[in-house]
Amino acid sequence: MKLSKVASLLSVAVLGVTLSACGNTKSSKENSSSKTMTSKVAAKKPQVLHDKFHVKKISSKTIYPKKEDWMKGPEGQRVTYLTSLQNIPNQTVHGMKLFNTQYTVIAMENLSSDNEYNSMQPDAKTVFPNNGDFPKSLTGKTIILLHLESDFQNNTSKPLNYDGFSGYAGGNFDWATDNGVQIDHSSLQVNDETNSLTVQPHKTVQDKSMDAILCYGNNVQDAYKKINSKHLTIKTAGVSTEDESQLGGIRTLKLNVK
């Protein structure tokens, strides 16, 4: 699995980490393409770590990063796994198959001044606390990021569209927390590559992702305590034809974020 969008947003030097779920029961065909989580480096040198978030230091060659694993870049940015990689069941809707669908929650610590998170969409809000404001600059801060990714295969003779993990534009309150707080996802800092994704007949598109900033803080401890829900529930969009006829496939994902 690749954090391809995170790689482009942080755009300095890349560390590659291959992700695969332990006990994965997917077919060898579905697992034939390696998936690599990438991260970037930043400006600060990391401190010596002795806390519950940073238990095992890993390298870019680690195959199975798990919760509490962390790695660093040559100029100080840390990537810390707050959950292990988690699988979501395959889905097939009128010939469109979603497979290798997986997600994780990570902290990106000590952000550099030249990453694109410092020029995010105007008036973007945090998920935790709900409707919270971002600072003018995230340089040196820590963000907690939800990354959800899948491969898409069209087994029909006509193009099909997937309309997005983040949900439909008109369903602005399709995200919710355990305590029933509904969230307007249109106001969040979300980059959804799966929105209006077209897959040509008998073709496969790999490693398309949705990335959402959940919260930020001065460090991972500060950011993590802002997450006040064990789960984040997201109602996805579904599959449609070229003429925008809806074929179904909306599903509700209850994701572990803490």
Side-chain angles (χ1 to χ4, degrees):
M1 173 173 284
K2 287 191 289 190
L3 259 175
S4 53
K5 181 50 62 178
V6 172
S8 66
L9 287 174
L10 292 173
S11 63
V12 190
V14 180
L15 294 172
V17 177
T18 301
L19 289 184
S20 181
C22 295
N24 196 337
T25 59
K26 296 176 183 175
S27 69
S28 59
K29 181 178 180 180
E30 290 176 351
N31 281 324
S32 61
S33 63
S34 67
K35 292 174 173 272
T36 302
M37 175 171 278
T38 58
S39 67
K40 300 287 181 171
V41 300
K44 291 184 179 179
K45 290 185 178 181
Q47 299 174 347
V48 176
L49 302 177
H50 300 286
D51 60 60
K52 66 179 182 179
F53 297 101
H54 307 92
V55 174
K56 181 182 178 181
K57 184 179 178 181
I58 60 174
S59 74
S60 60
K61 296 181 180 180
T62 300
I63 298 175
Y64 301 108
K66 299 178 181 179
K67 180 180 179 180
E68 300 169 353
D69 288 352
W70 66 279
M71 65 178 180
K72 67 177 183 177
E75 295 189 24
Q77 181 173 342
R78 287 190 297 265
V79 174
T80 302
Y81 295 85
L82 303 180
T83 68
S84 298
L85 185 69
Q86 300 180 71
N87 292 323
I88 294 174
N90 295 348
Q91 180 188 30
T92 300
V93 182
H94 288 271
M96 175 79 90
K97 182 179 181 181
L98 281 67
F99 63 103
N100 286 340
T101 307
Q102 301 165 313
Y103 73 97
T104 189
V105 176
I106 63 173
M108 290 191 168
E109 305 174 65
N110 300 333
L111 291 180
S112 62
S113 60
D114 58 355
N115 73 77
E116 293 187 21
Y117 288 126
N118 277 316
S119 57
M120 61 181 62
Q121 65 188 46
D123 303 319
K125 300 295 183 179
T126 61
V127 178
F128 303 105
N130 178 233
N131 209 38
D133 292 321
F134 283 97
K136 291 182 179 179
S137 172
L138 285 167
T139 301
K141 302 290 187 182
T142 292
I143 61 170
I144 293 180
L145 185 80
L146 168 68
H147 177 80
L148 172 60
E149 187 170 299
S150 188
D151 296 335
F152 298 81
Q153 185 177 68
N154 181 357
N155 295 310
T156 75
S157 59
K158 296 182 179 180
L160 292 175
N161 299 324
Y162 187 73
D163 297 325
F165 280 135
S166 57
Y168 288 108
N172 289 338
F173 291 92
D174 286 343
W175 293 33
T177 62
D178 288 339
N179 56 8
V181 174
Q182 291 182 299
I183 299 168
D184 180 359
H185 72 260
S186 67
S187 69
L188 303 177
Q189 181 63 16
V190 176
N191 189 295
D192 191 357
E193 294 179 332
T194 70
N195 182 27
S196 301
L197 175 67
T198 299
V199 184
Q200 297 299 323
H202 306 294
K203 297 293 184 181
T204 298
V205 175
Q206 296 180 317
D207 299 331
K208 291 298 181 180
S209 65
M210 182 199 75
D211 299 312
I213 302 179
L214 301 182
C215 56
Y216 76 93
N218 293 323
N219 50 49
V220 66
Q221 294 88 344
D222 182 43
Y224 189 75
K225 69 183 180 183
K226 296 178 181 179
I227 302 177
N228 59 6
S229 178
K230 183 177 180 180
H231 304 99
L232 181 64
T233 300
I234 296 175
K235 182 184 287 187
T236 73
V239 177
S240 62
T241 63
E242 280 190 301
D243 62 5
E244 299 185 351
S245 297
Q246 300 299 314
L247 299 177
I250 296 171
R251 60 177 171 174
T252 300
L253 302 177
K254 191 173 185 178
L255 308 177
N256 295 310
V257 294
K258 192 169 188 178

Short mmCIF file of all heavy atoms in Angstrom, two decimals, residues 4-36:
data_model
loop_
_atom_site.label_atom_id
_atom_site.label_comp_id
_atom_site.label_asym_id
_atom_site.label_seq_id
_atom_site.Cartn_x
_atom_site.Cartn_y
_atom_site.Cartn_z
N SER A 4 0.69 7.50 -1.45
CA SER A 4 1.19 8.28 -2.58
C SER A 4 0.86 9.76 -2.43
O SER A 4 1.66 10.62 -2.76
CB SER A 4 0.61 7.73 -3.88
OG SER A 4 -0.80 7.65 -3.80
N LYS A 5 -0.33 10.08 -1.96
CA LYS A 5 -0.71 11.48 -1.82
C LYS A 5 0.10 12.15 -0.72
O LYS A 5 0.50 13.30 -0.84
CB LYS A 5 -2.20 11.59 -1.53
CG LYS A 5 -2.70 13.02 -1.38
CD LYS A 5 -2.26 13.94 -2.51
CE LYS A 5 -2.79 13.51 -3.84
NZ LYS A 5 -2.39 14.43 -4.92
N VAL A 6 0.37 11.44 0.36
CA VAL A 6 1.21 12.00 1.42
C VAL A 6 2.60 12.27 0.88
O VAL A 6 3.22 13.28 1.18
CB VAL A 6 1.27 11.04 2.62
CG1 VAL A 6 2.28 11.51 3.63
CG2 VAL A 6 -0.10 10.94 3.25
N ALA A 7 3.09 11.37 0.04
CA ALA A 7 4.42 11.58 -0.54
C ALA A 7 4.48 12.87 -1.32
O ALA A 7 5.42 13.64 -1.22
CB ALA A 7 4.78 10.40 -1.44
N SER A 8 3.46 13.14 -2.13
CA SER A 8 3.48 14.35 -2.93
C SER A 8 3.27 15.60 -2.09
O SER A 8 3.84 16.65 -2.36
CB SER A 8 2.41 14.27 -4.02
OG SER A 8 1.12 14.26 -3.46
N LEU A 9 2.47 15.49 -1.04
CA LEU A 9 2.21 16.66 -0.21
C LEU A 9 3.43 17.06 0.61
O LEU A 9 3.66 18.23 0.86
CB LEU A 9 1.04 16.37 0.74
CG LEU A 9 -0.35 16.34 0.09
CD1 LEU A 9 -1.38 15.91 1.11
CD2 LEU A 9 -0.72 17.69 -0.49
N LEU A 10 4.21 16.09 1.04
CA LEU A 10 5.36 16.40 1.88
C LEU A 10 6.61 16.68 1.07
O LEU A 10 7.57 17.22 1.58
CB LEU A 10 5.60 15.27 2.86
CG LEU A 10 4.49 15.15 3.90
CD1 LEU A 10 4.69 13.92 4.75
CD2 LEU A 10 4.42 16.38 4.77
N SER A 11 6.64 16.27 -0.17
CA SER A 11 7.63 16.56 -1.21
C SER A 11 8.99 17.07 -0.76
O SER A 11 9.38 18.17 -1.03
CB SER A 11 7.04 17.56 -2.21
OG SER A 11 6.75 18.77 -1.61
N VAL A 12 9.74 16.20 -0.07
CA VAL A 12 11.16 16.48 0.16
C VAL A 12 11.91 15.24 -0.28
O VAL A 12 12.07 15.01 -1.45
CB VAL A 12 11.45 16.86 1.63
CG1 VAL A 12 12.88 17.37 1.75
CG2 VAL A 12 10.51 17.95 2.10
N ALA A 13 12.31 14.35 0.65
CA ALA A 13 12.96 13.09 0.28
C ALA A 13 12.11 11.95 0.80
O ALA A 13 11.46 12.08 1.80
CB ALA A 13 14.35 13.01 0.90
N VAL A 14 12.10 10.82 0.11
CA VAL A 14 11.13 9.78 0.37
C VAL A 14 11.74 8.62 1.14
O VAL A 14 12.84 8.20 0.87
CB VAL A 14 10.54 9.23 -0.94
CG1 VAL A 14 9.52 8.14 -0.67
CG2 VAL A 14 9.91 10.35 -1.73
N LEU A 15 10.97 8.13 2.12
CA LEU A 15 11.27 6.86 2.76
C LEU A 15 10.18 5.90 2.33
O LEU A 15 9.01 6.25 2.37
CB LEU A 15 11.24 6.99 4.29
CG LEU A 15 12.30 7.86 4.93
CD1 LEU A 15 11.99 8.01 6.40
CD2 LEU A 15 13.67 7.26 4.75
N GLY A 16 10.53 4.67 1.94
CA GLY A 16 9.53 3.71 1.51
C GLY A 16 9.34 2.63 2.55
O GLY A 16 10.30 2.10 3.07
N VAL A 17 8.08 2.29 2.86
CA VAL A 17 7.78 1.21 3.78
C VAL A 17 6.69 0.36 3.17
O VAL A 17 5.61 0.85 2.87
CB VAL A 17 7.31 1.74 5.15
CG1 VAL A 17 6.93 0.58 6.04
CG2 VAL A 17 8.40 2.55 5.80
N THR A 18 6.95 -0.92 2.94
CA THR A 18 5.94 -1.79 2.38
C THR A 18 4.97 -2.21 3.47
O THR A 18 5.38 -2.66 4.52
CB THR A 18 6.60 -3.05 1.78
OG1 THR A 18 7.51 -2.64 0.77
CG2 THR A 18 5.56 -3.99 1.18
N LEU A 19 3.69 -2.04 3.20
CA LEU A 19 2.65 -2.38 4.15
C LEU A 19 1.90 -3.61 3.69
O LEU A 19 1.51 -3.71 2.55
CB LEU A 19 1.65 -1.23 4.30
CG LEU A 19 2.14 0.01 5.00
CD1 LEU A 19 0.99 0.98 5.14
CD2 LEU A 19 2.69 -0.32 6.36
N SER A 20 1.63 -4.51 4.61
CA SER A 20 0.76 -5.65 4.34
C SER A 20 0.19 -6.09 5.66
O SER A 20 0.88 -6.07 6.67
CB SER A 20 1.54 -6.78 3.69
OG SER A 20 0.69 -7.86 3.40
N ALA A 21 -1.08 -6.46 5.67
CA ALA A 21 -1.71 -6.84 6.92
C ALA A 21 -1.25 -8.22 7.37
O ALA A 21 -1.13 -9.14 6.57
CB ALA A 21 -3.22 -6.85 6.77
N CYS A 22 -1.00 -8.38 8.66
CA CYS A 22 -0.65 -9.68 9.18
C CYS A 22 -1.87 -10.59 9.08
O CYS A 22 -2.99 -10.17 9.32
CB CYS A 22 -0.22 -9.58 10.63
SG CYS A 22 1.28 -8.63 10.87
N GLY A 23 -1.65 -11.84 8.72
CA GLY A 23 -2.76 -12.75 8.58
C GLY A 23 -3.63 -12.44 7.39
O GLY A 23 -4.80 -12.80 7.36
N ASN A 24 -3.10 -11.76 6.40
CA ASN A 24 -3.87 -11.38 5.22
C ASN A 24 -4.34 -12.62 4.48
O ASN A 24 -3.56 -13.51 4.20
CB ASN A 24 -2.98 -10.53 4.30
CG ASN A 24 -3.78 -9.77 3.28
OD1 ASN A 24 -4.89 -10.15 2.95
ND2 ASN A 24 -3.21 -8.68 2.80
N THR A 25 -5.64 -12.69 4.15
CA THR A 25 -6.19 -13.86 3.48
C THR A 25 -6.52 -13.58 2.04
O THR A 25 -7.18 -14.36 1.38
CB THR A 25 -7.48 -14.32 4.20
OG1 THR A 25 -8.43 -13.24 4.19
CG2 THR A 25 -7.18 -14.73 5.63
N LYS A 26 -6.06 -12.45 1.48
CA LYS A 26 -6.33 -12.14 0.10
C LYS A 26 -5.58 -13.09 -0.83
O LYS A 26 -4.56 -13.64 -0.47
CB LYS A 26 -5.93 -10.69 -0.21
CG LYS A 26 -6.75 -9.68 0.57
CD LYS A 26 -6.26 -8.30 0.32
CE LYS A 26 -7.05 -7.30 1.15
NZ LYS A 26 -6.52 -5.96 1.04
N SER A 27 -6.09 -13.24 -2.05
CA SER A 27 -5.47 -14.14 -3.00
C SER A 27 -4.12 -13.62 -3.43
O SER A 27 -3.83 -12.44 -3.34
CB SER A 27 -6.37 -14.29 -4.23
OG SER A 27 -6.40 -13.09 -4.96
N SER A 28 -3.28 -14.53 -3.93
CA SER A 28 -1.96 -14.12 -4.39
C SER A 28 -2.05 -13.16 -5.54
O SER A 28 -1.22 -12.28 -5.71
CB SER A 28 -1.17 -15.36 -4.80
OG SER A 28 -1.84 -16.06 -5.84
N LYS A 29 -3.11 -13.27 -6.36
CA LYS A 29 -3.28 -12.34 -7.49
C LYS A 29 -3.52 -10.94 -6.98
O LYS A 29 -2.99 -9.96 -7.48
CB LYS A 29 -4.45 -12.80 -8.35
CG LYS A 29 -4.67 -11.89 -9.56
CD LYS A 29 -5.82 -12.41 -10.41
CE LYS A 29 -6.05 -11.51 -11.62
NZ LYS A 29 -7.15 -11.99 -12.45
N GLU A 30 -4.36 -10.83 -5.93
CA GLU A 30 -4.68 -9.52 -5.39
C GLU A 30 -3.49 -8.91 -4.68
O GLU A 30 -3.36 -7.69 -4.60
CB GLU A 30 -5.86 -9.62 -4.42
CG GLU A 30 -7.17 -9.92 -5.11
CD GLU A 30 -8.30 -10.11 -4.13
OE1 GLU A 30 -8.05 -10.17 -2.92
OE2 GLU A 30 -9.45 -10.20 -4.58
N ASN A 31 -2.61 -9.75 -4.17
CA ASN A 31 -1.45 -9.25 -3.45
C ASN A 31 -0.21 -9.18 -4.32
O ASN A 31 0.88 -8.95 -3.82
CB ASN A 31 -1.15 -10.15 -2.24
CG ASN A 31 -2.06 -9.85 -1.09
OD1 ASN A 31 -2.41 -8.70 -0.87
ND2 ASN A 31 -2.45 -10.87 -0.35
N SER A 32 -0.37 -9.38 -5.63
CA SER A 32 0.79 -9.48 -6.50
C SER A 32 1.54 -8.17 -6.64
O SER A 32 2.73 -8.15 -6.91
CB SER A 32 0.36 -9.96 -7.89
OG SER A 32 -0.56 -9.05 -8.46
N SER A 33 0.84 -7.05 -6.50
CA SER A 33 1.53 -5.76 -6.59
C SER A 33 1.90 -5.30 -5.20
O SER A 33 1.06 -5.27 -4.32
CB SER A 33 0.63 -4.71 -7.25
OG SER A 33 -0.50 -4.48 -6.48
N SER A 34 3.17 -4.96 -4.97
CA SER A 34 3.59 -4.48 -3.66
C SER A 34 3.04 -3.09 -3.46
O SER A 34 2.91 -2.31 -4.38
CB SER A 34 5.12 -4.46 -3.56
OG SER A 34 5.64 -3.51 -4.44
N LYS A 35 2.72 -2.80 -2.17
CA LYS A 35 2.16 -1.51 -1.83
C LYS A 35 3.10 -0.89 -0.82
O LYS A 35 3.44 -1.50 0.18
CB LYS A 35 0.76 -1.67 -1.24
CG LYS A 35 -0.23 -2.16 -2.28
CD LYS A 35 -1.56 -2.43 -1.63
CE LYS A 35 -2.58 -2.74 -2.69
NZ LYS A 35 -3.22 -1.58 -3.20
N THR A 36 3.49 0.33 -1.05
CA THR A 36 4.52 0.95 -0.24
C THR A 36 4.00 2.22 0.38
O THR A 36 3.48 3.08 -0.33
CB THR A 36 5.75 1.29 -1.09
OG1 THR A 36 6.22 0.08 -1.67
CG2 THR A 36 6.85 1.91 -0.24
#
